[in-house]
Amino acid sequence: MNDLAAALQQPVDLDFELPDPEDEQIAESDFLQQLDVAWQVCDRFDLQTEIWRGRILRAIRDREKKGGDSRGTGFLKWLKEREISKTQAYSWIQLANSADTLLEEGKLDPGSVNNFSKRAFVETAKAPPEVQQMVSEAAQKGDRITRREVRQLSDEWTAMSSEFLPEPVKEKAADNSLPARYIAPLVKEMEKLPESHRRVLQRDIAANPDIDTLKQATTEARQLAKYLKSAAQVQALTEENVDIETALEEAQRIGCLSIAADLVNQASQMEQSIAKLYMTWKKISNLADRLYVDTGASTPNLRALLSCVEPLGGEVMELQLSGPREQTIRLQIQETS
């Protein structure tokens, strides 16, 4: 405890000699380089600080779990006194957990932490173990690790290791004739698809392993995934036992996949909107009834407000739509048991 108190008495020296922005004798490249060096020092210092903030907050939270009330009142009070939001607190705790996991598993040397930017560190913690190992080795060699380097390594690993990619694509990824940044998004979308639909995409990109085909396949895979996700949420389809898979294959065959995907997505949104409308309609009706009981001759303006809004909770609702042509929309809700 005494050592910690003593350490706090020693201020961290962050007294940079920043270049004068008005000095025209300094070349633009030199000016930016000097600022970049200072920024990197701040970034490393910030990372170490936030890791320790996360460890401190985690200790407070865990102590509260063991000895406090079940609502974590003490932890929330501690945050409030220091003007820390719950979102910020848990982001720091997540960062501390990531740091401890990487260090405990031996994937990161404590001395190389300063070679990371904060975002790169978080990105590394979320990456596959193989990518973590590659990033750690680069950091231990003294390389500066930013989020861009981590994502690049992650994309390269995805391109080389994914079982969803045909060999012609992997071969081109290996010799860098197909950049990994075009391959990784395709793999992520293909992971969401059933095997039957993956096979169609695999056949297309194996026949033409180029960037344009990869982009097209990525778009198509995204539409397929969107279609399947939305279709599972549409009651009108599930109640009638529509063969979603076959309908999807037919849409692919005649070249209208994007239209079919958008139609199903809009149907899903419509059903959700209807459900939300119904709950809001019920709430307006209940609130209007309660307010009517409390109003009278002494509250004429409140009664006027109620008389205007109350019809929105009735059986028939009207709404004027403004635009080139004014239109009146009437909606009727009928409840059935």
Side-chain angles (χ1 to χ4, degrees), residues 90-298:
Y90 278 100
S91 71
W92 280 334
I93 291 174
Q94 182 184 32
L95 181 63
N97 290 340
S98 299
D100 293 345
T101 299
L102 292 173
L103 292 169
E104 288 170 5
E105 293 178 356
K107 294 174 181 173
L108 187 64
D109 178 63
S112 64
V113 171
N114 282 341
N115 292 330
F116 287 79
S117 70
K118 183 176 68 174
R119 289 183 175 182
F121 195 85
V122 173
E123 200 77 26
T124 301
K126 296 188 294 185
E130 296 82 2
V131 175
Q132 291 177 353
Q133 186 64 37
M134 289 188 289
V135 172
S136 178
E137 290 173 358
Q140 290 173 18
K141 289 190 296 184
D143 293 351
R144 173 69 178 159
I145 307 298
T146 66
R147 184 169 61 168
R148 180 178 179 180
E149 278 76 31
V150 178
R151 287 187 171 179
Q152 182 177 344
L153 285 172
S154 183
D155 287 348
E156 290 173 357
W157 172 256
T158 299
M160 297 305 301
S161 63
S162 175
E163 61 183 12
F164 301 138
L165 295 174
E167 283 304 316
V169 175
K170 288 187 176 182
E171 291 172 2
K172 289 206 168 190
D175 62 19
N176 292 322
S177 58
L178 269 182
R181 68 177 182 274
Y182 294 109
I183 300 175
L186 173 60
V187 172
K188 291 175 183 177
E189 295 299 333
M190 289 177 71
E191 288 174 349
K192 306 173 187 176
L193 300 176
E195 185 178 353
S196 59
H197 298 300
R198 282 200 298 263
R199 282 199 299 266
V200 176
L201 295 174
Q202 288 166 341
R203 184 184 64 233
D204 292 342
I205 60 177
N208 297 292
D210 54 38
I211 292 177
D212 288 340
T213 304
L214 287 180
K215 288 181 177 180
Q216 178 61 35
T218 302
T219 300
E220 191 168 335
R222 189 176 295 115
Q223 290 172 343
L224 287 167
K226 184 179 179 181
Y227 173 98
L228 293 169
K229 180 180 179 181
S230 298
Q233 300 171 344
V234 178
Q235 291 184 23
L237 297 176
T238 56
E239 290 176 358
E240 296 296 330
N241 294 320
V242 175
D243 190 335
I244 303 297
E245 292 290 323
T246 303
L248 178 56
E249 291 173 2
E250 292 173 354
Q252 280 183 288
R253 177 168 53 81
I254 64 174
C256 62
L257 174 61
S258 62
I259 298 175
D262 194 30
L263 174 62
V264 173
N265 184 53
Q266 293 297 327
S268 175
Q269 291 185 33
M270 171 67 83
E271 288 189 344
Q272 293 174 34
S273 297
I274 291 173
K276 186 176 180 180
L277 171 64
Y278 173 73
M279 297 303 296
T280 304
W281 175 75
K282 288 287 289 185
K283 193 167 186 178
I284 288 177
S285 178
N286 292 335
L287 291 172
D289 289 344
R290 288 168 55 187
L291 188 59
Y292 180 82
V293 173
D294 296 331
T295 58
S298 64

Side-chain angles (χ1 to χ4, degrees), residues 30 78 150 197 265 279 296 300-301 307-308 324:
D30 293 338
W78 203 91
V150 178
H197 298 300
N265 184 53
M279 297 303 296
N301 292 302
S307 64
C308 292

